[in-house]
Amino acid sequence: MTEKKAKMTIDKQYKVAEVDPRIYGSFVEHLGRAVYEGIYEPGHPEADKAGFRKDVIKLVKELKVPFIRYPGGNFVSGYNWEDGVGPVEKRPTRLDLAWGTTEPNLIGTNEFMDWAKLVGAEVNMAVNLGTRGIDAARNLVEYCNHPSGSYYSDLRKSHGYKEPHNIKTWCLGNEMDGPWQIGHKTAAEYGRLAAETAKVMKWTDPSIELVACGSSGSAIPTFIDWETTVLDHTYEHVEYISLHSYYGNQENDLSNYLAKSLDMDHFIKTVVAVCDYMKAKKRSKKTIHLSYDEWNVWYHSNEQDKEIERWSKAPHLLEDIYNFEDALLVGCMLITMLKHADRVKIACLAQLVNVIAPIMTDKGGEAWCQTIFYPFMHASIYGRGTVLQSVVSSPKYDSKDFTDVPYLESVSVFNEEAEELTVFAVNRATDSSLDLEADMRSFAGYTVKEHIVLEHDDVKGTNQENRNNVVPHSCGDAHVCDGILKSRLPKLSWNVMRLKKS
Ligand code: AHR
């Protein structure tokens, strides 16, 4: 075991960008037990009058999620939004071809808007560009956002929702580049449809913002050509392009696994380059921003999902049980997106409850927090303000797929108003702690208020049996001495060093 040392300079003048709070967004899809038995379980001791679980609402609020994508995901590409509004007893039960399950349509647009209000989140609504198109999309915008005096706005009112929902951000379909998608399209087919749909949705409500589908992952062969063609068609009609990434430790190679956030970093830089190339090509003044509207670890449940009976209702699908090493990678991904806060304005942890989620529920039982709950919660609570461009010098390693992986992954966020600086840091070293020294030059008078650490001696440890197995503590040793923030970051640890002007 060799001693490792890293140095950093943090200066309040070196700014990347304000953090858009929507970077702490999440995602609820009609999939598995995300909605049914997740957010909604009538008859549960914690259910409110509408059937929403109050224990789940409490945990979602602890995550301070400001923005939630809905209703899919792959599901949306076969969804008729009209099935989910109006009297519940008249709603049809449908086969969901995306996941091979049965959708009872007990929860739809209005109920979900009610639930989002309870958790204090804005909704990011996706429209179906798989089996449907312009007409269904513009009607949904009219239903949700038009005040009254038209067929769909009056229909909403007749369903008991007098005031419009005023949904601001909309997704133009989902993963339309993927052959698994209902209504999969070529980039040219999707680009044309997205542009025409966007135009008409904005004619219905000019205040909305739109997300065009980017690639469903950086490994898909059409990546880059897809973005280029789609943006060629949609550039003047949309504000964002989406990115999706899921990682896993299939090879059980921890050093390589923890380096996978470097792939995310490369993905972001490449999409930014394509957006700016299109900006130049179109001589446009407008900058397209990034919506990382699906990201997480996803692989634990792949085998068990093959056993799910077709057409079952609310099956245990995509129920990854996360371990400690997953929490470290999630921490690295959060840091990576924050470092690109100038372009990544939206990000949605996929997903929120039961389905590849930080929050799990037992039917009729308790709601509990997975390991990944904690880094997400810390970033969401303390990572608000301005991302600073810190200069980092860290020892590095090479792994199977990556070279020059820094042991230290870190970002600093300054909340000027509250006079608080938060340094998020992951030590990727599997064999030793990392001595960090950060020159705090422009932060005279700042002292460490708290140093939160998530560490564990079993990288495969989960919270499934013992809910308090992988939980953070506040016993980190960070302190400021002569203007230098000093800390020994334990091996394999997620750290949140919170400083405040005293
Ligand atoms: O989040 C699970 C699924 O992953 C989504 O439905 C889809 O968009 C992606 O492939």
Side-chain angles (χ1 to χ4, degrees):
M1 175 175 95
T2 42
E3 277 294 294
K4 293 185 182 64
K5 290 185 196 309
K7 284 196 186 291
M8 197 152 94
T9 304
I10 309 170
D11 191 314
K12 59 171 84 155
Q13 301 308 324
Y14 302 167
K15 295 177 181 169
V16 175
E18 276 287 301
V19 176
D20 188 320
R22 295 174 301 171
I23 209 167
Y24 303 117
S26 190
F27 177 28
V28 173
E29 177 168 0
H30 281 251
L31 194 187
R33 300 191 308 126
V35 173
Y36 309 109
E37 285 185 29
I39 66 169
Y40 176 76
E41 192 182 333
H44 187 280
E46 288 279 343
D48 67 9
K49 271 208 307 244
F52 294 130
R53 281 183 63 157
K54 287 183 278 182
D55 52 350
V56 174
I57 292 171
K58 183 171 167 283
L59 290 177
V60 175
K61 281 177 147 177
E62 280 178 32
L63 288 178
K64 248 184 124 184
V65 176
F67 188 80
I68 303 180
R69 187 163 173 253
Y70 174 84
N74 296 340
F75 172 80
V76 80
S77 298
Y79 182 52
N80 299 331
W81 67 265
E82 300 87 340
D83 291 346
V85 296
V88 174
E89 60 288 358
K90 292 200 176 140
R91 295 184 193 175
T93 294
R94 298 271 190 198
L95 298 184
D96 166 26
L97 301 181
W99 298 103
T101 56
T102 301
E103 170 57 50
N105 282 307
L106 303 176
I107 297 290
T109 302
N110 294 317
E111 292 84 11
F112 193 74
M113 294 307 295
D114 288 341
W115 181 79
K117 212 174 274 170
L118 293 173
V119 300
E122 189 187 320
V123 171
N124 173 205
M125 188 67 80
V127 300
N128 174 354
L129 292 192
T131 56
R132 305 191 77 188
I134 303 174
D135 208 34
R138 61 134 179 186
N139 293 343
L140 182 57
V141 175
E142 182 184 319
Y143 182 89
C144 291
N145 287 10
H146 197 70
S148 64
S150 67
Y151 178 77
Y152 284 104
S153 58
D154 289 344
L155 184 65
R156 182 198 69 241
K157 286 172 76 177
S158 76
H159 293 158
Y161 292 81
K162 195 162 167 283
E163 297 305 323
H165 296 308
N166 289 326
I167 298 169
K168 173 98 182 148
T169 317
W170 297 73
C171 295
L172 293 162
N174 175 70
E175 293 191 348
M176 299 311 303
D177 62 326
W180 58 88
Q181 200 68 211
I182 301 173
H184 166 224
K185 292 174 175 50
T186 65
E189 287 165 349
Y190 171 70
R192 282 286 300 132
L193 177 61
E196 289 305 311
T197 307
K199 199 172 82 183
V200 173
M201 287 169 78
K202 283 189 172 173
W203 283 349
T204 309
D205 180 355
S207 72
I208 62 174
E209 292 192 330
L210 296 172
V211 185
C213 286
S215 294
S216 50
S218 59
I220 195 156
T222 47
F223 173 47
I224 302 178
D225 286 342
W226 175 273
E227 278 73 4
T228 312
T229 305
V230 167
L231 285 175
D232 213 1
H233 287 287
T234 60
Y235 202 93
E236 292 307 330
H237 299 290
V238 304
E239 283 67 36
Y240 309 92
I241 186 147
S242 71
L243 297 83
H244 291 181
S245 293
Y246 294 102
Y247 299 107
N249 190 7
Q250 289 86 347
E251 312 90 2
N252 199 16
D253 176 346
L254 183 53
S255 300
N256 195 53
Y257 181 50
L258 295 182
K260 290 190 179 180
S261 59
L262 271 62
D263 177 75
M264 176 182 236
D265 186 66
H266 184 66
F267 192 13
I268 293 172
K269 286 176 178 152
T270 310
V271 175
V272 166
V274 177
C275 290
D276 292 349
Y277 161 72
M278 290 311 300
K279 179 177 183 173
K281 185 180 169 202
K282 292 189 173 285
R283 279 89 171 143
S284 177
K285 290 200 176 4
K286 175 176 167 186
T287 298
I288 299 288
H289 289 108
L290 275 49
S291 171
Y292 223 119
D293 54 34
E294 289 187 30
W295 69 273
N296 203 349
V297 170
W298 174 14
Y299 77 108
H300 295 285
S301 59
N302 293 351
E303 282 309 307
Q304 75 207 36
D305 284 349
K306 293 182 185 152
E307 309 300 318
I308 301 284
E309 204 185 318
R310 209 150 166 77
W311 312 130
S312 44
K313 282 190 185 162
H316 289 249
L317 258 175
L318 276 64
E319 297 206 3
D320 275 40
I321 299 301
Y322 293 116
N323 58 33
F324 172 60
E325 64 186 23
D326 300 327
L328 292 177
L329 182 63
V330 162
C332 290
M333 288 196 268
L334 284 160
I335 291 172
T336 302
M337 289 186 286
L338 282 168
K339 287 203 275 194
H340 291 285
D342 55 334
R343 296 305 285 270
V344 179
K345 298 294 172 187
I346 297 173
C348 302
L349 174 68
Q351 301 193 9
L352 188 56
V353 184
N354 286 334
V355 170
I356 42 173
I359 299 168
M360 299 298 288
T361 66
D362 295 337
K363 185 177 181 183
E366 65 172 330
W368 56 278
C369 303
Q370 297 237 46
T371 60
I372 64 167
F373 182 94
Y374 297 103
F376 186 89
M377 177 180 75
H378 296 148
S380 176
I381 294 176
Y382 303 118
R384 308 223 181 193
T386 305
V387 173
L388 301 178
Q389 182 78 60
S390 34
V391 182
V392 179
S393 146
S394 164
K396 295 179 174 161
Y397 66 93
D398 292 343
S399 71
K400 186 170 95 19
D401 301 320
F402 303 91
T403 49
D404 288 335
V405 183
Y407 284 106
L408 174 67
E409 191 62 75
S410 176
V411 72
S412 305
V413 182
F414 179 42
N415 184 334
E416 197 162 3
E417 214 182 4
E419 298 189 304
E420 281 179 4
L421 172 72
T422 304
V423 182
F424 297 100
V426 171
N427 176 9
R428 289 191 175 98
T430 54
D431 60 349
S432 73
S433 57
L434 181 69
D435 283 337
L436 172 68
E437 286 195 1
D439 180 344
M440 306 272 301
R441 44 209 277 169
S442 61
F443 288 96
Y446 278 68
T447 54
V448 176
K449 206 172 143 191
E450 188 181 21
H451 177 179
I452 305 169
V453 183
L454 187 66
E455 59 182 330
H456 204 273
D457 43 23
D458 176 10
V459 291
K460 304 295 182 191
T462 74
N463 289 343
Q464 190 172 26
E465 304 300 331
N466 171 4
R467 312 299 199 215
N468 294 317
N469 184 31
V470 183
V471 290
H473 64 75
S474 287
C475 303
D477 72 351
H479 58 283
V480 178
C481 178
D482 295 333
I484 307 286
L485 169 68
K486 295 187 178 182
S487 178
R488 176 161 290 190
L489 309 180
K491 74 172 184 189
L492 294 172
S493 60
W494 158 258
N495 299 266
V496 186
M497 289 165 272
R498 299 180 51 223
L499 293 95
K500 189 161 174 63
K501 190 159 187 170
S502 40

